[in-house]
């Protein structure tokens, strides 16, 4: 497959920052993280990165490409969560089928329906983020 670009895996999150909260602060963080259907660590990481990017002048202005997690509605979060579960299921199937294909047990062209399913799920996520109605 020469000439095709490969997407690099994201850098592993191996660095850690310990943060202390009062009971009331932690309760608020956990409450809002629950509303956003995020673990508290992901919510705190997202908020910290958004603040750091804003301080550095990234995004937030006209034409910002990606919404912050706080900008998503409850319906968008539900649609994205459902799509995430579906993407994981299809991705596991695609991984198993591609392994069979690399061993010569399965024709890789037969993966087209699985790739099509992933494309449909991608469209659902794009629609949810853009505010379009989701089924």
């Amino acid at each position: 497959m020469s000439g095709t670009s490969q997407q690099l895996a994201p850098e592993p999150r191996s660095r850690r920052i310990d943060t202390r909260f009062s009971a009331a602060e932690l309760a608020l963080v956990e409450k809002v993280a629950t509303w956003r259907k995020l673990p508290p660590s992901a919510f705190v990481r997202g908020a910290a990165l958004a603040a750091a990017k804003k301080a550095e002048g990234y995004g937030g202005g006209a034409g910002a490409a990606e919404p912050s997690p706080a900008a998503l509605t409850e319906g968008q979060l539900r649609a994205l969560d459902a799509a995430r579960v579906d993407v994981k299921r299809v991705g596991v199937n695609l991984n198993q089928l591609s392994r069979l294909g690399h061993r010569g047990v399965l024709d890789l062209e037969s993966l087209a329906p699985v790739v099509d399913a992933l494309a449909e799920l991608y469209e659902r996520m794009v629609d949810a983020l853009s505010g379009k109605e989701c089924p």
Side-chain angles (χ1 to χ4, degrees):
M1 282 193 190
S2 63
T4 61
S5 63
Q6 292 184 0
Q7 189 175 10
L8 299 176
E11 183 180 347
R13 293 188 173 122
S14 60
R15 305 292 191 241
R16 184 182 189 114
I17 296 176
D18 291 324
T19 306
R20 298 186 187 279
F21 293 96
S22 70
E25 290 169 335
L26 182 58
L28 179 59
V29 166
E30 289 173 336
K31 178 180 178 182
V32 175
T34 299
W35 289 346
R36 303 284 181 217
K37 301 208 184 309
L38 293 170
S41 60
F43 176 74
V44 170
R45 181 176 48 250
L49 288 172
K53 287 178 180 180
K54 184 176 179 182
E56 286 289 312
Y58 291 97
E66 53 185 312
S68 69
L72 299 176
T73 66
E74 184 68 29
Q76 288 171 319
L77 288 170
R78 276 194 306 273
L80 288 173
D81 189 53
R84 178 192 57 78
V85 169
D86 290 341
V87 165
K88 183 175 180 178
R89 287 181 183 143
V90 173
V92 167
N93 289 340
L94 181 60
N95 188 38
Q96 291 171 345
L97 293 171
S98 65
R99 285 183 183 179
L100 291 173
H102 289 295
R103 285 192 226 141
V105 176
L106 177 75
D107 180 16
L108 288 176
E109 288 183 25
S110 66
L111 298 180
V114 180
V115 173
D116 291 341
L118 280 172
E120 182 181 326
L121 293 168
Y122 169 78
E123 288 300 320
R124 281 180 41 203
M125 288 187 283
V126 169
D127 288 348
L129 288 170
S130 66
K132 293 180 183 175
E133 290 297 318
C134 299

